[in-house]
Amino acid sequence: MTKIPYKIYLTEEEMPKSWYNLRADMKNKPAPLLNPGTLQPVTEADLAPVFCEELIKQELDDRTAYVKIPDEIYNFYKMFRPSPLVRAYCLEKTLDTPAEIYYKFEGNNTSGSHKLNSAIAQAYYAKKQGLKGVTTETGAGQWGTALSMACAYFGLDCKVFMVKVSYEQKPFRREVMRTYGADVTPSPSMETQIGQKILAEFPGTTGSLGCAISEAVEKAVTSQGYRYVLGSVLNQVLLHQSVIGLETEAALKKYGIEPDMIIGCAGGGSNLGGLIAPFMRDKIQGKKDLRIIAVEPASCPSFTRGKFAYDFADTGKVCPLAKMYTLGSGFIPAPNHAGGLRYHGMSTVLSQLYHDGLMEAVSVPQREVFDAATKFARTEGILPAPESAHAIKVAMDEAIKCRETGEKKVIVFGLTGTGYFDLVAYKKFNDGELDDYIPTDEDLAKGFAGLPKLDL
Amino acid sequence: MTKIPYKIYLTEEEMPKSWYNLRADMKNKPAPLLNPGTLQPVTEADLAPVFCEELIKQELDDRTAYVKIPDEIYNFYKMFRPSPLVRAYCLEKTLDTPAEIYYKFEGNNTSGSHKLNSAIAQAYYAKKQGLKGVTTETGAGQWGTALSMACAYFGLDCKVFMVKVSYEQKPFRREVMRTYGADVTPSPSMETQIGQKILAEFPGTTGSLGCAISEAVEKAVTSQGYRYVLGSVLNQVLLHQSVIGLETEAALKKYGIEPDMIIGCAGGGSNLGGLIAPFMRDKIQGKKDLRIIAVEPASCPSFTRGKFAYDFADTGKVCPLAKMYTLGSGFIPAPNHAGGLRYHGMSTVLSQLYHDGLMEAVSVPQREVFDAATKFARTEGILPAPESAHAIKVAMDEAIKCRETGEKKVIVFGLTGTGYFDLVAYKKFNDGELDDYIPTDEDLAKGFAGLPKLDL
């Protein structure tokens, strides 16, 4: 058998030419987004003031399986893709496991994560539509950085609302975005009506993605020539991120590797949805059976402790309603929760798949996550983003189980990004000051109390 | 003709199996290091208290051209190498130049630079010798991070003296090193006699590489089971870094590309010496003629305004004397000079080559460097280290010259690393607060006044 290299790179010719839209192959389609005013499925016209035209089409299209990647996007992809599928030889040795561990590493670009895959696509469609700029929110800062890079490339204005806790924990994230020409505001801010309202109600809040989304949407719809773009949750984002899964699939095939499980971290679902797309297709079509595992933080456990219900996508309740696993749009994770994966809800695609029993979900407390991150860094040489370390933790757990059972499972996980801008969180962990916050049932009940009472 | 991809990756099998020792092919060998006590060429015995045994052999051997890379190092290399040789299609388009621009990108690893190439080698030889740990200095922090990673991998203690200005400008660099288990002290410190002496003499000093070297050497020779390791200047470092040049050569050959010039930034010479090694060999042997250009900061202009003379390698004058282009071991660049490339001297290999007219040198002021860095980031999507941006600046200048003359030159430059930990400097530049400090002739005269008066 061919020796598998440490890093499997596809050639440029082997890179996927199209994105893959998993919805086209789902037997139970995700429930449609609802117009918050009429409670009817949203139309293109409903979304036109908020989103770019072509992206609305992608958002609503659950029939077309493959969408050709436009040349302009494809050429940008070639600057940082294909990303390597890495065989974690050193980690396997350290864990003394018979398992084979692979990770798809999306951190080798300046945004530090997979977010650039969708950012460049969204910026492209905004440019094509002749817009002046876009607004967005960012949590950990990866999406904001990615969008800044994409907007710089296409000469678009970029206005970023950054969740306040990240803005404060990550002073340098702001500076990267600024270097790429973006304008960054901590959220909640006084720049929007919804921001003013939230600050009046909760003066000390450290913000949330749901709140920053509301501000960015308000800013877009009240500014001439601007639209709003989002880095996760949406169907269009999962579509663009399918490039991760398609490359992973091609790299595995190149060496005849059959995965037993695919593991990814899940906040809003952008990475996980992209990573698993072709594997889930095969699973739905009965071609291959394998485990698909979502990993989320114990402090924001949408899948494992949330409800599958229609909910607002944002705190300000200006966005459409989505049927998803949710903790309630009023849920804000404790400020000591480091980094991203703070969103109260989850992609409708992933929510439906989880509801249908096609994937598993696990939640992990953050100290164990940082412990796994540190072990991984010292062994594999990559300092992971805290978000990505959720997947590392579960991949390591699964590899250790194999050591105990002697099984030679093939474990594939998504290493979404690097932790270079998460050193405040690493410092807290190194200093023993990082807490494990796990919400009580009473905490969650408060979030659930805010779920809309719908008569559908 | 084959279309050249955006990124040329060698396969694992195509990676160089040996390092290349350029000294073996130099007609005029670099002058030997001198024992500061006897003024005689240093012997293995002289160096044994300071350096690892095998590294001393490499340091002194100017005859062996190829040194096999040990398997343990080679396997570690495979975690982050081969590094890509990138065709800067987007930059060429932005500059509207007929030139072809390529860069060898060494930033895709957690140390953020090429430094890991030598760090892992030096840690390996320390481990092989049965040492407990190593000491070192770091300026910009890239070398310290690289060594921390290498020591974590081999289970060695790592004690880093970090130039105070970088320690303060880069708070997160320290935390990365700590995450990899290293102990980091700002230099000058009270932990060593030389540090105490320097602090007494210059209480407000922001430190220098020369001073941090003195502290690290003192700490090594006064601690049981420790040796000192250095990330630049030394012959052994250039040997390990030759992997950059050898990979570049192989990648160019793979697509039949003939470079007209090779451009690299130069502080102590680790990157430049490695990058140019095989090209300089061909030039010396008359097989190929091409321009080789060193780029240094106008604020620390060893090549362009220094003297070719024997000088102390460190401020404390405890290290051997080296014949090199130097500003005097007492020269300390202004504190507003951002990042690395702060060393007063230069590799003896590169100094000899420059003296013999085999390479050119250019110095550039730092605002132009940051301006080039920002343009590059927005075009090619990579936020460069300030050090690397020196090479970018001159590569862009050369490409613009081609636009004017219509020449289709092939420009290759070394992009040594990323700027993720240099955001304080970028912020200053973005805020218009970065100065161009260029030393006057009087400033330089003070440094030259400290050159040793030798009667050789």
Side-chain angles (χ1 to χ4, degrees), chain B residues 396-408:
Chain B
M396 284 170 66
D397 285 349
E398 292 290 337
I400 290 166
K401 278 185 214 163
C402 287
R403 180 177 67 204
E404 287 155 9
T405 62
E407 288 175 295
K408 290 180 196 289

Side-chain angles (χ1 to χ4, degrees), chain A residues 346-363:
Chain A
M346 184 57 66
S347 145
T348 59
V349 172
L350 296 177
S351 292
Q352 188 64 48
L353 294 166
Y354 182 61
H355 186 69
D356 290 343
L358 288 159
M359 51 184 273
E360 308 163 41
V362 186
S363 80

Side-chain angles (χ1 to χ4, degrees), chain A residues 413-444:
Chain A
F413 72 90
L415 190 71
T416 54
T418 53
Y420 306 147
F421 292 97
D422 299 284
L423 273 308
V424 170
Y426 273 98
K427 181 171 195 315
K428 277 191 191 161
F429 176 71
N430 292 337
D431 290 339
E433 289 169 4
L434 203 66
D435 292 330
D436 278 340
Y437 167 76
I438 299 175
T440 63
D441 288 344
E442 289 70 36
D443 294 332
L444 294 187

Side-chain angles (χ1 to χ4, degrees), chain B residues 431-445:
Chain B
D431 290 339
E433 290 170 4
L434 203 67
D435 291 331
D436 277 341
Y437 168 76
I438 299 175
T440 63
D441 288 346
E442 289 69 36
D443 293 333
L444 294 186

Side-chain angles (χ1 to χ4, degrees), chain B residues 26 78 87 90 182 211 215 300 302 330 351 356 390 445:
Chain B
M26 285 170 69
K78 286 193 276 190
R87 172 77 184 266
C90 295
C211 161
E215 289 206 84
C300 192
S302 323
S351 294
D356 291 343
H390 287 75

